[in-house]
Amino acid sequence: MVDDRFGNASRPGAEAAPGALLVAAPGLLDPNFRRTVVYLIEHRAQGSLGVVLNRPSEVTVRDVLPAWAPLSSAPPSVFVGGPVEGESAICLAAVRTGHDPAAMDGLIAVRGPVAQVDLDRDPVVLAPVLRGLRVFAGYAGWDAGQLAGEIRRGDWYVVPALPDDVFTRRESGLWGHVLRRQGIPLSLLATYPLDPAHVRHN
């Protein structure tokens, strides 16, 4: 359980759903999730799945998926999506205005313009309709009821996502950036001091 002085401060009306963000509470010290921002891809009765948006690795997309590298958003890193199945790749993209990802082969709509990409498809075919793309190694997963329990406990704040959060270039400051735009009381957490004993994990 985290020490959450702000109680259940999730933004009114925000709920866990595909396309929402999970922002780690300051007291969540699990090294896999400390000060992370997770984008939910699936949220069902059977469980939930998402990817961490602010953990770039030293591996580039060109190193592992060279055909997709020209479409990758900066920085061109493969991001560490979470502790589950770290050898697997999940790819998210945003389509350009006027295109519906639900109607396109090779894409599985998540929310709004954001979709999951089938990496077995030809990137040349999808390139004209994509305006951002990011590859993640592994993912964050929760069994049935597990995520709801963590949210009730205060481990996570559920807030709306903006499509560009998925492809941000400010990954090192994304945690604070997302909190600041929520308004009080969540915005106050953006300046929550780091615990010196855990700075090396940030």
Side-chain angles (χ1 to χ4, degrees):
M1 180 178 293
V2 301
D3 175 14
D4 182 3
R5 305 176 192 182
F6 290 82
N8 184 4
S10 294
R11 191 171 179 178
E15 60 181 26
L21 295 180
L22 303 175
V23 182
L28 182 57
L29 301 180
D30 180 335
N32 290 309
F33 296 112
R34 187 167 185 272
R35 297 217 169 188
T36 57
V37 178
V38 175
Y39 182 82
L40 274 179
I41 298 173
E42 295 181 4
H43 182 64
R44 305 176 181 175
Q46 301 93 325
S48 305
L49 180 152
V51 288
V52 174
L53 299 181
N54 55 337
R55 290 277 177 88
S57 75
E58 295 181 358
V59 177
T60 69
V61 177
R62 188 173 300 278
D63 292 334
V64 293
L65 294 166
W68 291 94
L71 302 182
S72 180
S73 299
S77 302
V78 173
F79 278 57
V80 179
V84 183
E85 295 188 18
E87 298 300 315
S88 65
I90 291 178
C91 181
L92 293 177
V95 301
R96 297 183 183 277
T97 302
H99 295 275
D100 179 5
M104 302 181 63
D105 289 338
L107 299 179
I108 302 171
V110 179
R111 187 167 188 173
V114 179
Q116 194 170 346
V117 179
D118 181 353
L119 291 171
D120 291 329
R121 297 297 178 118
D122 184 352
V124 174
V125 175
L126 290 175
V129 301
L130 300 184
R131 65 173 180 84
L133 180 141
R134 181 140 290 161
V135 176
F136 301 87
Y139 61 89
W142 294 266
D143 292 332
Q146 184 181 1
L147 178 57
E150 292 182 8
I151 293 170
R152 285 194 301 270
R153 189 170 62 188
D155 291 351
W156 302 99
Y157 304 118
V158 184
V159 303
L162 300 178
D164 287 346
D165 291 333
V166 179
F167 316 102
T168 183
R169 296 189 182 194
R170 62 171 89 209
E171 67 281 349
S172 63
L174 184 64
W175 184 82
H177 174 71
V178 170
L179 287 172
R180 280 192 294 273
R181 73 177 188 231
Q182 304 308 316
I184 294 174
L186 283 186
S187 60
L188 301 177
L189 293 174
T191 57
Y192 196 96
L194 288 169
D195 180 345
H198 296 276
V199 168
R200 65 183 179 273
H201 294 308
N202 189 44

